[in-house]
Amino acid sequence: MDSPMCLVENADGELHVVPGAIKYLMGLNQKVIVVAVVGLYRTGKSYLMNKLAGKRKGFALGATIQSKTKGIWMWCVPHPEKRDHTLVLLDTEGLGDVEKGDSKNDAWIFSLAILLSSTLVYNSRGTIDNQAVENLQYVSELTERIKVNSSSAASSSHDDEEEGDTQFVQFFPNFVWAIRDFTLLLEIDGRNVTEDEYLEHSLELRKGGGKKNLMYNLPRECIRNYFPSRKCFVFPTPTTPAKMPHLDSMDEADLCGTFRKVADTFCRFIFQESRTKTVKGGHKVTGRMLGHLINTYVETIAKGSVPCLENAVLAMAQIENQAAVDEGLAVYQRGMEEVKALFPVDMGQISAHHLCSDHQATQAFMKRSFKDENGDFLKALAVAIAKHYADLLIQNEDASEKKCASLLEKLSAPMAQKIKEGIYATPGGYELYCNHHDNMVAQYRAEPDKGVRAEEILEQFLKEKSLEKNSILQADKKLTENEKKIHEEQEKRALAEQAVKMEAEKQHQLEKLIQERERSHQEGICQLEAKMVQEAKGKQQELERALDSKLHEQEKLMAKGFTEKEAAMKEEIQSLREKEEAKREEKEEQSRNFRAIAQGVMESVSNGLGHYFNYKKAREQRKAIVFKEQVRFNLKSGAVDNIPDKERMTLKQDKMATPKLKTGAVGNSKDTTLPKVNTGTTGKSPGSEV
Ligand SMILES: Nc1nc2c(ncn2[C@@H]2O[C@H](COP(=O)(O)OP(=O)(O)OP(=O)(O)O)[C@@H](O)[C@H]2O)c(=O)[nH]1
Ligand SMILES: [Mg+2]
C-alpha cells in the first residue's frame, strides 16, 4: 500500500466502513500486527504513525490548530522484522475536539481502536498529570462499549459486566503511552526513574475512600486492570517551535538528536514487541479476518448496539469456514484436473491423485478454518470432495467403457464383414471363426490404458458374441453333434472364466476404495488432531498471558500495601486459574470429541460416494435388462440354443410378465438423473446377421 486510505468514515457523528479499504483487507492473506494510535487532537499522532511506516509523509498532518484526521485511517506496510506479517497502522481521529464536541462519538473511535489493535499507542503532550489521565476517561466507560460474551451482550446484569471486565485483559492490546514534548527531568523524590517507572508512578492509586479519591482512582484502576502490559516513551520536542509546522518536510538529520533516538527506540519496541492480532479463542487474525471484524464492529455500532467480541468471532468463523470449504474444494478440483485429462486411467492412478488432492484440500481447509468445533465445515468439505470424486469415478468409468467399446467395435469389424460375406457359413467355418475371435481378444488385451472397465466390457461383448458364435457352431456341417456339445461346454467355461476376471476387476476397485477410505481417515484424524491441539494452545496462551499480567499487577499492589484491592485481584486471579483448569479439562474432552468428529467426517465421505455406488447399481440393473432383451430377441428369431437353463426359465417368465423395454432406457431405476449408459455394440442384434 503506497499511501494510507480511510478505513472508517465519520460523517455527522455516524461511523461507516469504506468499502475500498475493506476490499483491500479482504485480499490480504498474511497475519496482521495492528498498531493503533489514539489521543487528544493535534498532539502529533499522525506524525508518529508515519515514523512507524518509515516514511516522512503518509498520514496527513496539517499545520493549523484545526483537527486533521477524521475517522480511522489505515496504512498496511510490510512488517520490517516479521516477513510473514503485515503491519497495519491505524491512525485515528483526535479525541476531545472542541469544534466536534461529541464525546460519545470519540468513545466509539477509542473502543474501535482497542477492538482492532494488538498494540494501542496512547499519545499525549506534556506530562502525565491528572488531566492527562482523565483525558483517558474512555477507559472507564469500556464495559458499556465492549462486551466479551454474547450472553453479556444480550443482558447487562452486573455479574456479566464483572465477567467481561475481568476478561478484557485476555483480549485487549498492549498499551504504550507516548508522551510528546516532554521537557521535565525524569526524577521522583530526587531519584532518577525510568519512563516506565514514571508511568507507574502516575498510575498509582490513592488510599482511602471518599468521592474525590474514588474519581481519582477510577481511570487509573481501569488502565491497570485492562492493560497490565504497559510501556512508556517520553519524547522531547522534535525541533524548534518555528519549524514545527513544517515537520513533515524536514530531513531526519535536522531533527533534534534525542527526539530521533527516542523515536528509534519506540519504533524498535513496537516492531519487536507487538503481537499478532488475535481474537477471542487465541485465533491469529489475517488481513481478511480483520476486514470481517471491522465490518461487524462498525455495523453493530451503527445499529446502536454494543460490539461483542464473541459474536464478532462467531460471525467471522461462519464466513471464513465456508470460504475454507470452498477453497479446499477448489484445491481438490485443481489437483484432479491433471488426472482427469488422462481418463480413462486405472484405479491406482485415480486413487493416488485423489489421496494427494484430498490431503492438500484438507490442509488448505485447516489453514483457513477456525472454531469449527463440531467439525461441521470439515464434514461439508468431505462431502463436497466425495461427491466430486464420485463424479470423476463415473466419468472415468464412462471413458473406459467408451474406449473399450469402440476398440472392440474396431477389432471386430473385419469379422462382422466376413459374416456378411458368409465366410464362416461353410464346413470348418466355426474353427476359422474361433481363430479370428481368439486373435481379436488377444489384440484387445494387448491394448494399453483401457481403464477400469476393460474386463467388464469384454465380458459383456463376449456374452453377446456367444450367441453369434453358437449360431456358427450349430451351422457347421463339418462337426458332429458330439463335437458341437464339447464346443458348447468349452464356450460356457470361457464365459465363466471371463466373468471371474470381471469380478476380480470390480473387487480390486472396491478394495482400492476401502484402502483409500482408511488412509484418508487416518490422515484426517492427524490433521484434525493437530488443528485442535493448535487451537487449544491458542486459548491456553491467551489465559496464561492474562494470568501472568494479573499476578504481576498483584505484586505491585502488594508492594504498595493495597490489601483490599489485592483481595479483589486475588478473586480475579482465582477466576482465571479456574478457567485455565477448565480449559485443560476441555482439551481432554476435545481429544475425545475429535475422534467422534473424524468418524462423522468418514460417514460424510461414504454419503458423498453413495452417488457413485447408486450409479453402479443402476448400471448393473440396466445391463441385465439389456442382456435379457437381446436374448429374448434371439429366442424369438430362434438363433439361441445355448442359454443356460436357469436363465431361459426366468426369461420365459419375464416374457409373460414384463412389457418390452427399449435398449438403454432406465426402466426400473428410481434415479432419473443417472447418466445414460452407452451400450456399445449391444444396440445391434448379434446373430441376426449370420
Ligand atoms: N510540538 C510538537 N509538534 C508536533 C510533534 N509532532 C508533530 N507535530 C506537529 O503538530 C501538528 C499536528 O501533527 P499531527 O501529527 O497532524 O497531529 P494529530 O494528533 O494527528 O492531529 P489530529 O489528526 O488533528 O488529531 C503538525 O504541525 C506536526 O508537524 C511533536 O512531537 N511536538
Ligand atoms: Mg492526525
Side-chain angles (χ1 to χ4, degrees), residues 371-430:
K371 229 177 153 41
D372 181 19
E373 278 162 5
N374 298 322
D376 291 340
F377 288 94
L378 184 61
K379 279 181 215 158
L381 174 68
V383 172
I385 287 180
K387 279 193 175 152
H388 190 75
Y389 185 41
D391 280 344
L392 291 177
L393 286 173
I394 293 169
Q395 284 174 35
N396 188 39
E397 292 195 0
D398 287 352
S400 170
E401 173 174 329
K402 214 168 148 199
K403 186 167 182 180
C404 294
S406 81
L407 178 63
L408 284 169
E409 200 174 310
K410 192 180 97 192
L411 294 174
S412 65
M415 285 181 75
Q417 184 57 30
K418 286 189 177 65
I419 287 173
K420 266 191 194 161
E421 290 165 6
I423 306 264
Y424 304 122
T426 52
Y430 182 69

Side-chain angles (χ1 to χ4, degrees), residues 407-464:
L407 178 63
L408 284 169
E409 200 174 310
K410 192 180 97 192
L411 294 174
S412 65
M415 285 181 75
Q417 184 57 30
K418 286 189 177 65
I419 287 173
K420 266 191 194 161
E421 290 165 6
I423 306 264
Y424 304 122
T426 52
Y430 182 69
E431 195 184 346
L432 186 64
Y433 178 90
C434 285
N435 285 342
H436 289 170
H437 182 271
D438 292 351
N439 195 22
M440 177 191 67
V441 172
Q443 279 185 50
Y444 175 82
R445 287 236 155 83
E447 184 76 20
D449 305 326
K450 293 190 293 295
V452 284
R453 294 183 64 201
E455 294 302 332
E456 188 190 347
I457 302 299
L458 180 63
E459 194 246 11
Q460 214 170 299
F461 176 82
L462 293 181
K463 245 177 164 179
E464 289 160 18

Side-chain angles (χ1 to χ4, degrees), residues 303-316:
K303 274 195 295 193
S305 309
V306 177
C308 166
L309 290 166
E310 189 177 29
N311 284 349
V313 175
L314 284 176
M316 186 167 75

Side-chain angles (χ1 to χ4, degrees), residues 124-188:
S124 72
R125 220 174 239 179
T127 57
I128 310 183
D129 54 13
N130 198 33
Q131 188 58 45
V133 177
E134 273 173 13
N135 284 340
L136 248 176
Q137 51 171 307
Y138 311 101
V139 259
S140 10
E141 298 166 14
L142 280 174
T143 46
E144 287 157 41
R145 312 226 168 257
I146 296 172
K147 299 288 170 203
V148 175
N149 297 315
S150 52
S151 56
S152 55
S155 75
S156 57
S157 80
H158 186 66
D159 279 356
D160 284 338
E161 267 178 31
E162 286 277 290
E163 177 73 351
D165 192 333
T166 312
Q167 286 187 31
F168 278 175
V169 64
Q170 277 169 257
F171 318 111
F172 273 19
N174 292 342
F175 184 85
V176 177
W177 196 319
I179 309 163
R180 316 289 288 275
D181 294 353
F182 187 81
T183 48
L184 306 174
L185 288 176
L186 277 174
E187 230 182 74
I188 299 170

Side-chain angles (χ1 to χ4, degrees), residues 473-490:
L473 174 70
Q474 300 308 328
D476 194 335
K477 297 209 169 58
K478 195 183 161 194
L479 300 169
T480 64
E481 280 312 305
N482 204 22
E483 282 170 330
K484 283 180 186 174
K485 285 249 153 13
I486 293 169
H487 281 302
E488 270 177 28
E489 283 307 313
Q490 276 175 350

Side-chain angles (χ1 to χ4, degrees), residues 322-340:
Q322 185 50 53
V325 171
D326 297 344
E327 195 175 312
L329 182 62
V331 166
Y332 179 79
Q333 285 171 335
R334 271 200 306 278
M336 294 303 278
E337 280 305 311
E338 192 190 320
V339 71
K340 197 176 159 188

Side-chain angles (χ1 to χ4, degrees), residues 42 44-47 59-61 67-70 91-94:
R42 307 276 74 205
K45 298 184 295 297
S46 300
Y47 179 73
F59 291 113
L61 305 193
S67 68
K68 181 74 187 171
T69 310
K70 298 286 171 206
D91 185 19
T92 63
E93 179 168 328

